[in-house]
Amino acid sequence: MPRISEKGLYMPASPIRKLVPYAEAAKRQGKTVHHLNIGQPDIFSPEIALNAVRNFAGKVVSYGHSAGNESYRKALAAYYCGLGTDVDYTQILVTTGGSEAILFAFMACFNPGDEVIIPEPFYANYWAYAYEAGVNVKPITSGIDNDFALPPIEAFERLITPKTKGIFISNPNNPTGYLYSKKELEQLAIIVKKYDLYLFSDEVYREFNYDKEPYTSALDLKGIEENVVLIDSVSKRYSMCGARVGAIISKNKDVIAFSLKFGQARLCPPFYGQIAAEAALQTPPEYFAKVFDEYDQRRKFMVQRLNQMEGVYCPMPKGAFYSLVRLPIDDSDKFAQWLLEKFDYEKHTVMVAPATGFYATLGLGKNEVRLAYVLNIKELEIALDCLERALKKYNA
Ligand SMILES: Cc1ncc(COP(=O)(O)O)c(C=O)c1O
């Protein structure tokens, strides 16, 4: 039998999805598995987007432009301008989800062996895209006791080598829920300018800013306009994860032009997804108000409930819909598997994402898990009751 590639062998498994076979086995045994492991919300997608797809009257599901439909790019640019971030449609390349935007951006901006600095814990798939593009990730640890704030800027500077070509942030952050302040971003901008780095800013959770603190997009930072590469997606904004529509937004013409070559090779972004995404831009404000309130209630409920448990610490996330939680456990991977394989309370159990997969530094995250508050409060309550009982049993 021919052998699999080394690239395939060493491709990191997703900490969010790698335990799926155990969850499936648990379900086959009749257990209800409450999924706190994945950012798949139960929130309905906007009706206006669903109707646009239902009412599509064309006769051919055709290829489109590799950069995405011009009408969608123009509408998305207008959306950003409405948020106060100046964007022109020529600065947008539509992609198959934010995932492809990250991969294309890495491919267009880095040579194999180049380095990207990422505050950890970070969204685990960054690791995978960097690996695919041959980019070395240099982590810089942000700590739970500091609510995962941006590490001191001197620590970033210490990591910069001749190979360093970029810094990558997610704002609000997945997995920590931290929202970077204008001051923190301006500090980053100083070193981005000084060393002429790319600043990749993943802003797919931009609208999920629960305390309504002023939001600074990396695109609004002065003096580094051509260094910034923004990652956009409809997955979370409209609870349309399956639409698979994202975008690279950059004022750097080369980033758009060279990413487009990767876009041409995959022909075009999804046809129906773009129809839904364009229509979703007309979603009435009441939809967002309701969704926002729902997440905010879940956030407060989950954090309060977790902090009542013995030995558990959960900082209050300001954005996105995740918390990185410290648990009284020694090995989050083992614990997550044990929850699915060995534990149930009245036939219920929970699936969590072990935090080890969100850290690049070996050994970190062993007593932490990421929880996504994507379930309604009633289900969250059952899931968290299960978790509390599980912790007692695991430690007994
Ligand atoms: C921070 C972040 N960036 C990017 C993505 C990719 O999203 P998608 O490819 O669905 O747009 C996700 C998905 O969970 C995410 O959490």
Side-chain angles (χ1 to χ4, degrees), residues 289-323:
K290 226 170 123 192
V291 170
F292 187 92
D293 278 354
E294 177 66 29
Y295 277 123
D296 193 26
Q297 279 179 36
R298 293 174 183 189
R299 167 180 81 127
K300 289 176 178 148
F301 173 78
M302 187 170 92
V303 173
Q304 195 190 22
R305 184 74 186 82
L306 284 165
N307 283 324
Q308 284 165 351
M309 296 179 198
E310 206 182 319
V312 174
Y313 173 61
C314 178
M316 179 62 84
K318 291 182 178 173
F321 32 71
Y322 308 96
S323 274

Side-chain angles (χ1 to χ4, degrees), residues 263-283:
Q264 286 169 345
R266 67 82 170 97
L267 307 182
C268 67
F271 180 94
Y272 283 111
Q274 285 184 90
I275 291 178
E278 190 172 334
L281 286 163
Q282 303 300 323
T283 303

